[in-house]
């Protein structure tokens, strides 16, 4: 099963990718991780990417897709994979097609912006021990104080309302159009993300025909 998970930031893609990968015994291929690995290993494409990053430039689509192709050629991807973080745009999706990267299913985890805002802006993290809380779903015993070590809880920069809204706007502007692209290819399946984690996993597996 060669799979792409789509969804806005905070929709639960990372959690679901982990669960689906374990269920189907296939690797999750994270663009960020393989980019760092290619740079560390000094592969030709990795060196090209490093040169661009060192100059403060964005890594272009053809380099990203090249690194993805390198990684997908490894033996652990023979029975399938989950792509995480790519494609983000229509040109990246077209480049994957043109370079022969096969995709069987694209699952979009659907969840309303206001639900995501509630999820993300309600998160609190302990600056000392890293324990994570949520003011509604998993509140600390004492407001603003970590259960584990008694330190003050903080809001991560990524979870501030203005940051969350900006990330959602970027998703709607750049990435959401991929749903139409893959729907035209007959590969898109929609799954409700506003339900318990186990239920969403079950629905994703059903959408894959597993």
């Amino acid at each position: 099963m060669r799979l792409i998970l789509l969804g806005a930031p905070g929709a639960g893609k990372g959690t679901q990718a982990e669960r689906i990968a374990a269920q189907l015994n296939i690797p999750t291929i994270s663009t960020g991780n393989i980019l760092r690995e290619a740079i560390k290993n000094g592969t030709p494409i990795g060196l090209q990417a490093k040169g661009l990053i060192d100059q403060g430039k964005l890594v272009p689509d053809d380099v990203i897709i090249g690194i993805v192709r390198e990684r997908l050629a490894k033996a652990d991807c023979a029975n399938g994979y989950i792509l995480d973080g790519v494609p983000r745009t229509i040109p990246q999706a077209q480049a994957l097609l043109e370079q022969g990267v096969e995709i069987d299913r694209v699952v979009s985890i659907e969840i309303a912006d206001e639900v995501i805002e509630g999820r993300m802006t309600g998160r609190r993290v302990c600056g000392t021990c890293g324990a994570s809380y949520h003011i509604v779903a998993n509140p600390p015993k004492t407001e603003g104080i970590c259960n584990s070590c008694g330190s003050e809880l903080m809001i991560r920069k990524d979870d501030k309302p203005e940051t969350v809204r900006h990330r959602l706007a970027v998703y709607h502007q750049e990435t959401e159009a991929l749903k139409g692209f893959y729907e035209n290819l007959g590969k898109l399946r929609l799954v409700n993300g506003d339900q318990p984690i186990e239920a969403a996993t079950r629905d994703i597996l059903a959408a894959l025909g597993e």
Side-chain angles (χ1 to χ4, degrees):
M1 177 57 65
R2 295 161 298 194
L3 172 65
I4 291 170
L5 284 182
L6 292 178
K13 294 188 299 297
T15 301
Q16 293 301 338
E18 216 172 90
R19 292 171 66 87
I20 302 297
Q23 185 90 17
L24 301 183
N25 197 25
I26 55 176
T28 297
I29 308 303
S30 155
T31 330
N33 290 349
I34 58 174
L35 189 55
R36 284 187 287 275
E37 196 180 318
I39 290 169
K40 192 178 88 180
N41 294 339
T43 70
I45 292 182
L47 291 172
Q48 193 181 345
K50 184 179 186 306
L52 292 161
I53 291 165
D54 287 348
Q55 293 169 45
K57 293 180 180 170
L58 285 175
V59 180
D61 288 350
D62 59 334
V63 176
I64 295 280
I65 305 302
I67 286 173
V68 170
R69 278 191 66 200
E70 263 182 12
R71 177 64 186 86
L72 297 184
K74 294 189 177 175
D76 65 337
C77 292
N79 294 323
Y81 42 80
I82 300 173
L83 286 183
D84 174 19
V86 70
R88 283 187 192 278
T89 60
I90 300 273
Q92 283 186 0
Q94 285 167 331
L96 282 174
L97 266 182
E98 286 158 12
Q99 295 208 28
V101 175
E102 293 288 337
I103 299 299
D104 299 314
R105 283 277 182 276
V106 177
V107 173
S108 177
I109 301 173
E110 299 289 297
I111 186 159
D113 282 6
E114 53 270 25
V115 176
I116 288 176
E117 275 193 48
R119 276 185 185 181
M120 294 175 78
T121 59
R123 290 197 291 209
R124 299 291 182 271
V125 180
C126 175
T128 305
C129 75
S132 188
Y133 300 89
H134 191 281
I135 56 174
V136 178
N138 177 33
K141 288 172 188 161
T142 307
E143 190 179 337
I145 301 296
C146 176
N147 294 351
S148 305
C149 71
S151 298
E152 194 175 343
L153 299 179
M154 50 187 265
I155 303 175
R156 293 186 325 168
K157 190 181 167 199
D158 271 3
D159 295 336
K160 289 188 172 168
E162 60 275 20
T163 310
V164 172
R165 284 186 205 115
H166 173 70
R167 290 175 69 199
L168 286 169
V170 169
Y171 167 76
H172 291 307
Q173 193 180 333
E174 293 183 1
T175 307
E176 198 166 28
L178 287 169
K179 291 199 297 193
F181 180 87
Y182 285 112
E183 189 172 24
N184 290 339
L185 296 174
K187 301 194 173 188
L188 182 73
R189 302 291 183 273
L190 305 181
V191 166
N192 173 21
D194 190 12
Q195 58 177 331
I197 290 169
E198 296 76 12
T201 304
R202 184 195 63 224
D203 287 357
I204 291 169
L205 289 169
L208 302 179
E210 291 294 327

